[in-house]
Structures are given as structure tokens and as C-alpha cells.
Amino acid sequence: MLKATLSNLLGRLRPGEFSVPSPRKPPPAFYAAFKRRDQLSARDVRAIAVHEAGHALLYAALRPLPDYVTVTLYDRPGRDDVLGEVTRIIYPHQLEDLTFLRWQMLMLLAGQAAEQALLSEETVGPGQDLAQWTEHAQDYLTLCRGEVFFAKPANEYQAMLNQRLLTRALTLQRLQVRAFLSINRSVLDDLANEIELHKRLSARELQSHFAGVQIPAGFPTPALA
């Protein structure tokens, strides 16, 4: 079946924490990465380009866009056998604020949302996207005012309440991501085409696409300076 085949081909998101790397450590890690599991067809490469474009488009909300950010598609397996990736953000502070945390959550949902928006056939995105989203959502709900989220649920009832909050948050954020991609659909399409064609886009090249991006009211715009 097509769905199962694409699931096998697309692989999983490269795991990684969003902790602040030390300046003495190697260059920043990458996330939103597909691992190679088989020979990719042109359709598979298109799906990867669209997925990476979805993640990358959310970077238009950063203030400013860091100059080390790149989007890369590989003709051959790259580091850790990945075929596509977007640079992970180095947060400039030791303590992440809720705005940056919300942005990370939305960014993690944007890859599969982009596939749903641009591809004629829905594919199965990397399962690690949602796993990482859940980790960040738990942190967010624990810190968020007005919500009672149990960091360590003591019983099934508390666990059920947590799951309800996570489900509601996921539904709301998926709607928010879809709305963002919808009003910026032409930019998303152009960006996916550029990634597929050129295989690598620098921060400057991304910024030229971001000039036409519309940021909806209430959308998180983290300050990185």
C-alpha cells in the first residue's frame, strides 16, 4: 500500500533535546530529519522537500532569523544517515520562555501539516515529531497559568485529565498551524520547490522567501536577540 510504503521510506525525525548547547561544543544539531530506509523516488524526494519546507516556514516567525540556519536535502545519506534536515535553533538564554516553547511545538507540527496541504496523497510523517511535541507540551502545560496539569500524575484520574489537556492543545495547535500554512500557501509551495531543486538553502535565501510571509495575530514570534 502507498501509505505503508511512504511510511517506510520517510523514516523518523532525528531525536534531540532543545537544550542550549555550549559555545565550545560542535555546531548546532539538526532536527526535522528523515532517515534513509530505501531508494527514494522523485515522489519521495518531493514529500521530504514539502515536509522540510513546512518546518522551515515557521522560522519566519523568529526575531531575527539566525544566520546559521539552513535547510538541506541530501542525494546520499548525510550525517547519521539522514536525507533532509533543518538546523536546530540555539536559544540565547538558559531559561526558555513560553513564547519560544509554543513556537517549538507549532514548528514540530508543521512538517506533516505541509504534506497535507500540498501533496495530493497524504503521507505518514515521522512519528518522532509528535513524540517531541508531547514532551514540549507537557512542559508548557505544567508552566501555563490557568491549567492544572500534573507533572507526575498520582492516579488514573489525574492521568486522564492530563491526556484531555494534551489532546485539546494538540487540536488547537494543529488548527493554528494549518491556518498559518493556509495564508502562506504560495510561499510554502515556492519554498518546497526551491528546497527540492537546490537541495540546500541558506538563512539569507530563506529570508528572501520569508519577506512575503504573513504572521497571524496571536502567533508566537520568539525574540532571539
Side-chain angles (χ1 to χ4, degrees), residues 3-62:
K3 189 170 184 180
T5 301
L6 288 176
S7 177
N8 290 334
L9 289 173
L10 293 182
R12 299 183 64 189
L13 184 73
R14 184 178 186 275
E17 297 180 356
F18 287 88
S19 58
V20 183
S22 166
R24 296 183 181 180
K25 291 183 179 180
F30 291 78
Y31 52 73
F34 285 101
K35 290 188 176 181
R36 178 179 180 138
R37 294 195 176 182
D38 201 348
Q39 185 66 39
L40 298 179
S41 67
R43 182 180 59 184
D44 302 324
V45 173
R46 176 62 181 173
I48 296 172
V50 167
H51 187 101
E52 300 298 337
H55 287 299
L57 190 59
L58 269 288
Y59 283 54
L62 298 176

Side-chain angles (χ1 to χ4, degrees), residues 1 24 28 34 45 68 74 102 117 142 172 175 190 210 218 224-225:
M1 294 177 63
R24 296 183 181 180
F34 285 101
V45 173
Y68 57 77
Y74 298 108
R102 284 179 58 214
T142 300
L172 292 175
L175 290 173
D190 290 343
F210 293 168
L224 300 181

Side-chain angles (χ1 to χ4, degrees), residues 97-98 101-102 105 133-152 158-173:
D97 60 25
L98 291 181
L101 195 52
R102 284 179 58 214
M105 292 161 64
W133 180 92
T134 301
E135 292 179 7
H136 292 305
Q138 289 171 340
D139 292 338
Y140 179 81
L141 291 171
T142 300
L143 298 171
C144 190
R145 296 179 181 178
E147 301 288 2
V148 179
F149 188 86
F150 300 94
K152 296 181 179 180
Q158 291 182 358
M160 180 189 69
L161 293 179
N162 281 1
Q163 188 59 48
R164 287 181 179 177
L165 287 175
L166 286 169
T167 300
R168 185 176 71 178
L170 180 60
T171 299
L172 292 175
Q173 283 217 320

Side-chain angles (χ1 to χ4, degrees), residues 72-212:
T72 307
L73 258 63
Y74 298 108
D75 292 326
R76 298 179 180 180
R79 183 173 44 80
D80 293 339
D81 201 33
V82 301
L83 282 167
E85 56 193 12
V86 183
T87 311
R88 182 178 132 186
I89 292 299
I90 303 173
Y91 193 62
H93 310 292
Q94 291 296 325
L95 300 177
E96 295 180 357
D97 60 25
L98 291 181
T99 299
F100 184 66
L101 195 52
R102 284 179 58 214
W103 175 85
Q104 289 181 98
M105 292 161 64
L106 292 166
M107 180 277 301
L108 286 167
L109 298 177
Q112 191 168 22
E115 294 181 42
Q116 294 168 348
L118 295 186
L119 300 179
S120 59
E121 295 172 296
E122 183 177 343
T123 66
V124 178
Q128 198 66 23
D129 276 3
L130 188 56
Q132 290 195 29
W133 180 92
T134 301
E135 292 179 7
H136 292 305
Q138 289 171 340
D139 292 338
Y140 179 81
L141 291 171
T142 300
L143 298 171
C144 190
R145 296 179 181 178
E147 301 288 2
V148 179
F149 188 86
F150 300 94
K152 296 181 179 180
N155 50 55
E156 292 185 3
Y157 178 71
Q158 291 182 358
M160 180 189 69
L161 293 179
N162 281 1
Q163 188 59 48
R164 287 181 179 177
L165 287 175
L166 286 169
T167 300
R168 185 176 71 178
L170 180 60
T171 299
L172 292 175
Q173 283 217 320
R174 278 177 167 164
L175 290 173
Q176 195 172 12
V177 168
R178 288 169 186 167
F180 180 88
L181 297 183
S182 178
I183 64 174
N184 295 293
R185 184 185 177 91
S186 62
V187 181
L188 175 65
D189 198 16
D190 290 343
L191 187 57
N193 291 340
E194 289 293 298
I195 294 171
E196 184 177 7
L197 177 64
H198 297 292
K199 310 304 181 186
R200 185 181 189 277
L201 298 182
S202 66
R204 179 176 296 181
E205 291 167 323
L206 287 172
Q207 193 67 65
S208 67
H209 288 278
F210 293 168

